[in-house]
Amino acid sequence: MPATTAPTRPRLSAAYWRVWWAAAADSVGDGAFAAAVPLLAVTVTRDPRLVSVVSAATYLPWLLLSLPAGALVDRRDRVRLMWGSQAVQAVIVGLLAALVAVRHLTIPGLAVIAFGLGVCEVVFGNASQAVLPDIVAPSLVHRANAHQYTATVAGETFVGPPLGSMLFAVAVALPFGVDAGSFVLSAVLLAKLPVRRSGSAAGHPPFRTAIVNALRWLAGHRLLRTLAVLLGVNTFCFQLGTVTLVLLATSTLHLSQRGYGWLLAAGAVGSVLGGLVNARIVARIGSLPALLVALAANVAVFLGIGFSPNATVLGALLAAGGFATTIWSVVTVSLRQRLVPAELLGRVNSAYRMVGWGLIPLGALAGGLTAHVFGLRAAYPIAGAVRGIALLAALPALLAAMRAVGDSPGAPQGASRDAPQDGDASRSR
């Protein structure tokens, strides 16, 4: 009798795994940096308003430069943009390490450096999301995003923060040197990537026309438009609460620098678990229920954090929030990669993230002001209440739009980007 072979499971390409390793290396350095910067800021000042300025400067480029960066991603070699931005970040963080070593750093100087890193991150973030469909089969996009997000979260919030806080306790400049090294490693891995593809082979419209087309496409797609606005409110609220977390942990709960790093790592445990199981959750209950559960869970988490009696409770709540946020992030990124035409993906991603991340600087400033006026515990409950109101307001549109694109448990994650859309979206492709 002829031998029978079991069907093989589709595998992710070698090019994808090179991108994955680059992201993993970069995320460890970013996690160390994220833990060290607030600790560095509070060695200069204890004023929550000044601490929030540094965070606001980091995310301000998403508001100012996201749209032109998206147009650039759709007309340039995406891989080259990725490794080039990582190389520039290595230089910037290396400069920061040198300034810290000679103790010649102020809050304005730290804010300028944070802004420069944010500019590079806008380019890298848009290019990395746009390049993934070029190197991954449509049926594997959700799995690829889950692996990518798990590696990123594990590095940025599980491995990096404890490492950064411990290195900071040894020598203030050490975590920044590690971050610079991670950027160099990531750039080297990406520079050797065999895939070289820009957004479209056709002639490119002028920058202004390209940006307007992307905005029109996003505005005409009800589901992605709703998700972008909801993301904007949620990231504003996240930063409103989180910007003074370092002060809540060290001043109110009296954690050490190392304890603060382990607190961030507790949140990462939930994030990693979310990345590992989110594909199964979505396959079983569908994208819409997964999104709604994640959003509702984060409302409850934020309301509870402000009343945490000790670091153990705070760490558990951060873990729950990380789990929910990972599910939301992977599902929404996969939806964009599935629904947006390839030639528009960079620009639509940038427009989506401008709406979704553009309010983060305002959230940071609002969080610093709230903590200054009402106390360090007040920001989280206020942010949770706003997130709850936003969810209730967006619920009818979200339900209708998700059903319009055929969401159901077990629906194929690699569906065509030409799925039916409402409004006037199809005209602006």
Side-chain angles (χ1 to χ4, degrees):
M1 296 180 64
T4 58
T5 58
T8 59
R9 187 184 185 190
R11 294 183 178 182
L12 294 164
S13 66
Y16 167 78
W17 286 112
R18 184 172 287 275
V19 173
W20 186 92
W21 278 110
D26 169 63
S27 64
V28 172
D30 283 351
F33 182 88
V37 164
L39 294 172
L40 177 62
V42 298
T43 63
V44 180
T45 178
R46 283 279 173 175
D47 189 330
R49 294 168 296 181
L50 294 178
V51 173
S52 69
V53 167
V54 177
S55 180
T58 303
Y59 292 100
L60 186 59
W62 286 101
L63 179 62
L64 301 180
L65 301 174
S66 189
L67 290 177
L72 185 68
V73 164
D74 278 341
R75 66 182 64 211
R76 301 292 185 187
D77 184 333
R78 291 167 177 171
V79 172
R80 185 173 298 172
L81 289 172
M82 290 169 65
W83 69 256
S85 62
Q86 297 277 271
V88 173
Q89 285 178 301
V91 173
I92 294 175
V93 178
L95 174 62
L96 173 60
L99 291 173
V100 170
V102 298
R103 299 183 179 181
H104 188 69
L105 190 67
T106 62
I107 290 295
L110 187 56
V112 169
I113 289 174
F115 181 84
L117 290 171
V119 171
C120 295
E121 184 58 32
V122 169
V123 176
F124 179 82
N126 282 317
S128 62
Q129 286 193 0
V131 81
L132 192 126
D134 294 342
I135 59 177
V136 173
S139 61
L140 298 177
V141 165
H142 194 91
R143 191 201 306 176
N145 279 319
H147 288 324
Q148 192 88 349
Y149 198 84
T150 300
T152 300
V153 169
E156 289 184 352
T157 59
F158 187 68
V159 179
L163 177 65
S165 60
M166 286 188 289
L167 291 175
F168 188 91
V170 174
V172 176
L174 270 180
F176 305 108
V178 169
D179 193 26
S182 74
F183 282 130
V184 172
L185 178 58
S186 177
V188 170
L189 288 169
L190 292 171
K192 295 182 178 180
L193 193 68
V195 174
R196 293 289 188 272
R197 178 178 172 181
S198 57
S200 173
H204 298 292
F207 255 68
R208 182 176 179 180
T209 302
I211 290 171
V212 169
N213 286 345
L215 289 171
R216 186 180 296 126
W217 195 98
L218 180 61
H221 197 290
R222 189 178 184 184
L223 174 57
L224 296 185
R225 180 183 70 229
T226 303
L227 291 174
V229 173
L230 193 56
L231 176 63
V233 175
N234 286 340
T235 54
F236 172 89
C237 293
F238 177 85
Q239 200 65 13
L240 189 155
T242 305
V243 69
T244 53
L245 178 62
V246 63
L247 293 174
L248 175 64
T250 58
S251 297
T252 303
L253 299 180
H254 307 294
L255 289 178
S256 65
Q257 294 171 348
R258 293 185 181 184
Y260 173 68
W262 287 112
L263 182 68
L264 297 181
V269 172
S271 299
V272 171
L273 289 176
L276 293 174
V277 305
N278 83 87
R280 297 179 183 178
I281 293 174
V282 172
R284 181 176 294 273
I285 68 175
S287 299
L288 176 60
L291 286 176
L292 295 180
V293 169
L295 291 168
N298 263 330
V299 171
V301 165
F302 269 58
L303 290 174
I305 285 177
F307 302 100
S308 300
N310 52 54
T312 301
V313 173
L314 178 56
L317 289 170
L318 290 175
F323 184 92
T325 299
T326 300
I327 292 176
W328 155 274
S329 298
V330 173
V331 169
T332 54
V333 169
S334 299
L335 280 171
R336 294 202 305 277
Q337 291 168 339
R338 182 177 64 150
L339 298 173
V340 181
E343 67 274 12
L344 284 173
L345 185 56
R347 283 169 284 162
V348 173
N349 259 337
S350 70
Y352 181 98
R353 297 179 85 175
M354 182 197 72
V355 176
W357 289 31
L359 294 179
I360 290 179
L362 298 180
L365 296 175
L369 183 61
T370 300
H372 178 75
V373 175
F374 300 106
L376 294 175
R377 289 185 178 273
Y380 271 104
I382 292 173
V386 174
R387 292 186 77 156
I389 294 170
L391 175 58
L392 292 175
L395 190 57
L398 192 58
L399 289 169
M402 189 70 81
R403 288 167 181 163
V405 299
D407 173 70
S408 61
Q413 296 300 324
S416 169
R417 292 177 184 170
D418 296 325
Q421 298 148 14
D422 53 89
D424 204 27
S426 60
R427 297 182 187 178
S428 56
R429 294 183 187 178

